[in-house]
Amino acid sequence: MQHVFIQYVYLILAILALVTFADITKVAYPIILVIGGLALSFLSEFSSMTIDPEIVLFIFLPPLLYEAAWQTSWKEFWKWKRVITSMAFPIVIITACVIAFFANEIIPGFTLALGFLLGGIISPPDAISATTIMRQVGAPKSLVSIAEGESLLNDASSLIIFRFALVAVITGQFHFGEATSSFFLVVIMGTLVGLAVGAVFYSVHRWLPIPPRIEIIMTFVTPYCMFYAAEYFHYSGVLSVVSGGLLLSSKRQQMLSYRSRIQSENVWTSIVFVMNGLIFLLIGLQLPSIINQLGDTSVATATWYGIAISIILIVTRILCMLGASAFTMFMSRYITVADANPGWKGPVILGWAGMRGVVSLAAALSIPLYIGGTELFPFRNLILFITFVVILITLVFQGLTLPMLIKWLKVEGKSDVKSDLEQEKLIQKKLSHSSLIYLENKFVADGLDNDHIKNLRSRFELEFKFFDTELLEDVDPTHKNTIQEYHTTYLELLNHQRSLLEEINRGEEFDEELIRKYFALIDFEELKIREQSLQ
């Protein structure tokens, strides 16, 4: 036990080093982690490490899905709902069908049921890498939002296909009508279970006097309850976590206190980072054990199967994305759509961003060793190896070339959408203007004569004047220097305050706990100033 724990400590240290290297080289960290895992797999210390699929699907998947749903904008999700649902359901189903028939043709003895099993495993893209790369190269936010939304739903649809195909392989029977009705039942009931569990936790957060540390722990318990409740009744645990997570994310301002929101953000960011890092690193570490399990199939033959299926997978996704774009343009004549003319560049980028990841490998690993306790599961080792090759090719090859593709296509956001800088100026102008009106009304209503409130009013007047001027087309170049000089001076002042607190803390007069409180307040003030900065 101690040896295993030390191994994971080493893995976390490796993650920190590899992610730091990824930041320096400007390469998406999942790519570096998978390659790093491959390199570590040749060391005797890590060659025996394997992934337990139950751990991945139950321990890792719920919090990662929940955090993704929590960070997803419901407004953007709803805006692109038709595109996201088409990518998460029809395109995943089409991809699984294409892979099923192709694998059935090229692999001797590979049945159609096994083909659908393989298709269900490798059909869902992993959006963590894609969105990381898109943000690094400044891709339009619409593409990032669509990729994020897709990642919330495609895992569910692919795992449902995998589940039905697995039953077909084990029993040797497949009833299309029964599978279709079961598919919709699993989707709808999984969503309803997630919403129900989410409503329960919302009520607890909203109406009970819970301290922040308990609230943060409850946010970690929530996705497991959603996932287990749905899976217990054989519904979609993935959709349960996604739907419940989206519900609670939209209610975060009502259900969590300001302390809980600040502290939980920091805690979740750190834990999810480690979880993601471990999963991508462990993917790379699986190579030796997967090769050893190939059996009668040679590595060269299995690699050829994996490369051919990867090519078909990439081409199918790109064609499906272009087809979805054409269908959107056609339907825009009859219904209102978010983008009536999506063109071809965005769909090509989203098609190329279909990198496979942890869900695919976890699904492949969850295939049972035996059927009925005695008969070996057919082609299990080959399916594992093909899945690994597909993940490696799509994640590394597509991941490394995606930035070049985005830059080459020069995709730009819609001209009617304001830039982040313009939106920030407008938000801060509206906040300062609304604050001024509120204070003026309070002065009149209560007849207050408070110097502190007067200073507060003067501050908002100055801010409103600044941002009102900033939004004009012709601005004096010296105008921007005033706020920059203010921010620079304020930050220097905060550093001076820190130095003073350190000096005060050297004496015996003040309690260090109180000193740390003021250090924290200064940190929050610096964060606010840096976030408000328009540089």
Side-chain angles (χ1 to χ4, degrees):
M1 187 66 185
Q2 183 180 4
H3 176 68
V4 174
F5 178 77
I6 294 298
Q7 278 186 320
Y8 277 92
V9 170
Y10 288 152
L11 286 184
I12 292 174
L13 291 174
I15 289 169
L16 299 180
L18 290 169
V19 172
T20 301
F21 177 74
D23 289 340
I24 294 172
T25 57
K26 306 297 182 184
V27 176
Y29 75 86
I31 300 173
I32 298 296
L33 288 173
V34 171
I35 296 174
L38 275 172
L40 290 175
S41 69
F42 294 101
L43 300 178
S44 58
E45 182 69 25
F46 302 102
S47 59
S48 61
M49 293 194 72
T50 57
I51 300 178
D52 184 342
E54 293 299 325
I55 290 178
V56 174
L57 288 175
F58 185 72
I59 294 181
F60 282 86
L61 198 57
L64 292 178
L65 285 170
Y66 187 75
E67 196 269 344
W70 189 267
Q71 298 299 333
T72 298
S73 165
W74 172 251
K75 181 170 67 175
E76 289 295 310
F77 184 88
W78 189 253
K79 178 181 178 181
W80 301 105
K81 58 184 180 296
R82 290 190 181 93
V83 179
I84 290 170
T85 51
S86 70
M87 293 169 68
F89 294 102
I91 291 181
V92 167
I93 293 171
I94 291 170
T95 303
C97 290
V98 171
I99 294 300
F101 285 100
F102 182 74
N104 175 245
E105 286 294 323
I106 69 167
I107 303 176
F110 211 75
T111 65
L112 202 56
L114 286 170
F116 275 103
L117 185 69
L118 177 60
I121 290 171
I122 63 176
S123 56
D126 181 274
I128 295 173
S129 304
T131 53
T132 302
I133 294 169
M134 287 179 180
R135 288 194 177 97
Q136 283 178 351
V137 297
K141 286 194 172 181
S142 59
L143 296 182
V144 179
S145 299
I146 292 170
E148 285 180 332
E150 178 195 13
S151 71
L152 293 177
L153 300 181
N154 58 25
D155 292 341
S157 55
S158 64
L159 289 175
I160 293 170
I161 294 171
F162 169 77
R163 181 186 299 177
F164 288 141
L166 188 61
V167 171
V169 174
I170 293 174
T171 62
Q173 297 179 341
F174 180 78
H175 301 286
F176 182 78
E178 182 182 339
T180 303
S181 59
S182 298
F183 179 87
F184 287 105
L185 180 66
V186 166
V187 169
I188 294 170
M189 292 306 297
T191 302
L192 291 177
V193 168
L195 293 175
V197 175
V200 171
F201 275 94
Y202 170 78
S203 301
V204 173
H205 282 286
R206 184 75 175 83
W207 304 114
L208 295 183
I210 304 173
R213 61 182 180 275
I214 304 299
E215 282 198 305
I216 294 171
I217 295 173
M218 282 181 61
T219 62
F220 279 99
V221 174
T222 302
Y224 292 107
C225 292
M226 292 172 177
F227 190 86
Y228 181 75
E231 290 292 326
Y232 181 80
F233 295 104
H234 305 291
Y235 302 136
S236 173
V238 173
L239 278 178
S240 177
V241 175
V242 168
S243 59
L246 285 172
L247 171 67
L248 295 181
S249 173
S250 66
K251 302 292 184 182
R252 71 179 75 188
Q253 297 299 326
Q254 292 82 27
M255 62 180 268
L256 295 177
S257 65
Y258 74 96
R259 285 186 182 274
S260 296
R261 288 194 297 272
I262 292 172
Q263 293 176 14
S264 64
E265 184 75 20
N266 295 329
V267 173
W268 268 93
T269 299
S270 301
I271 291 179
V272 167
F273 167 76
V274 173
M275 281 186 165
N276 272 321
L278 281 173
I279 287 175
F280 282 108
L281 199 64
L282 286 169
I283 287 175
L285 285 169
Q286 299 310 296
L287 179 62
S289 61
I290 291 174
I291 290 177
N292 292 334
Q293 295 172 13
L294 270 179
D296 296 334
T297 307
S298 68
V299 175
T301 303
T303 302
W304 151 244
Y305 292 150
I307 293 172
I309 288 172
S310 299
I311 294 171
I312 293 297
L313 194 67
I314 294 169
V315 172
T316 301
R317 178 174 170 84
I318 293 174
L319 291 177
C320 284
M321 293 305 305
L322 291 172
S325 176
F327 183 73
T328 300
M329 293 173 67
F330 172 75
M331 292 303 296
S332 65
R333 304 175 185 176
Y334 308 101
I335 60 175
T336 302
V337 296
D339 186 359
N341 186 25
W344 64 272
K345 293 182 178 180
V348 167
I349 289 174
L350 287 172
W352 196 255
M355 292 161 273
R356 272 54 183 176
V358 61
V359 173
S360 294
L361 187 61
L365 287 167
S366 66
I367 298 173
L369 291 170
Y370 297 96
I371 296 176
T374 55
E375 183 184 352
L376 285 172
F377 195 97
F379 293 96
R380 181 183 186 274
N381 299 330
L382 181 60
I383 291 173
L384 268 172
F385 186 83
I386 291 173
T387 302
F388 182 85
V389 172
V390 169
I391 292 172
L392 191 62
I393 290 176
T394 57
L395 192 60
V396 177
F397 174 63
Q398 287 184 276
L400 291 176
T401 54
L402 182 60
M404 292 182 284
L405 180 66
I406 294 173
K407 291 177 182 178
W408 177 61
L409 292 178
K410 298 179 181 178
V411 181
E412 297 179 355
K414 297 298 179 181
S415 58
D416 58 339
V417 178
K418 294 182 176 64
S419 67
D420 287 353
L421 185 60
E422 290 175 312
Q423 292 183 55
E424 265 198 88
K425 291 176 183 177
L426 280 171
I427 290 170
Q428 294 193 40
K429 177 188 172 183
K430 288 178 180 293
L431 286 173
S432 56
H433 185 245
S434 177
S435 301
L436 271 176
I437 293 175
Y438 174 81
L439 289 173
E440 287 172 357
N441 291 338
K442 191 170 182 65
F443 272 118
V444 173
D446 302 336
L448 296 176
D449 187 16
N450 185 306
D451 288 338
H452 293 289
I453 296 179
K454 286 180 179 179
N455 289 335
L456 188 62
R457 185 173 183 274
S458 298
R459 170 191 159 190
F460 283 118
E461 282 180 339
L462 183 63
E463 284 189 4
F464 175 72
K465 180 180 177 182
F466 172 79
F467 290 111
D468 192 39
T469 306
E470 274 283 302
L471 290 167
L472 298 175
E473 292 185 4
D474 299 322
V475 182
D476 184 354
T478 60
H479 171 72
K480 287 189 176 182
N481 293 334
T482 58
I483 193 70
Q484 292 174 1
E485 184 179 359
Y486 163 71
H487 285 155
T488 301
T489 303
Y490 200 172
L491 291 173
E492 290 176 355
L493 177 62
L494 293 177
N495 282 329
H496 174 74
Q497 290 179 348
R498 288 190 181 97
S499 299
L500 178 60
L501 284 175
E502 288 176 355
E503 184 178 338
I504 291 174
N505 196 36
R506 293 190 187 101
E508 299 293 333
E509 185 179 359
F510 297 98
D511 191 334
E512 186 168 354
E513 187 174 345
L514 291 176
I515 299 293
R516 289 177 180 175
K517 172 185 173 181
Y518 281 91
F519 271 123
L521 290 173
I522 291 173
D523 289 341
F524 279 118
E525 194 67 19
E526 179 172 353
L527 175 64
K528 183 179 73 174
I529 292 298
R530 292 193 182 278
E531 288 296 318
Q532 287 180 344
S533 176
L534 299 177
Q535 297 181 33

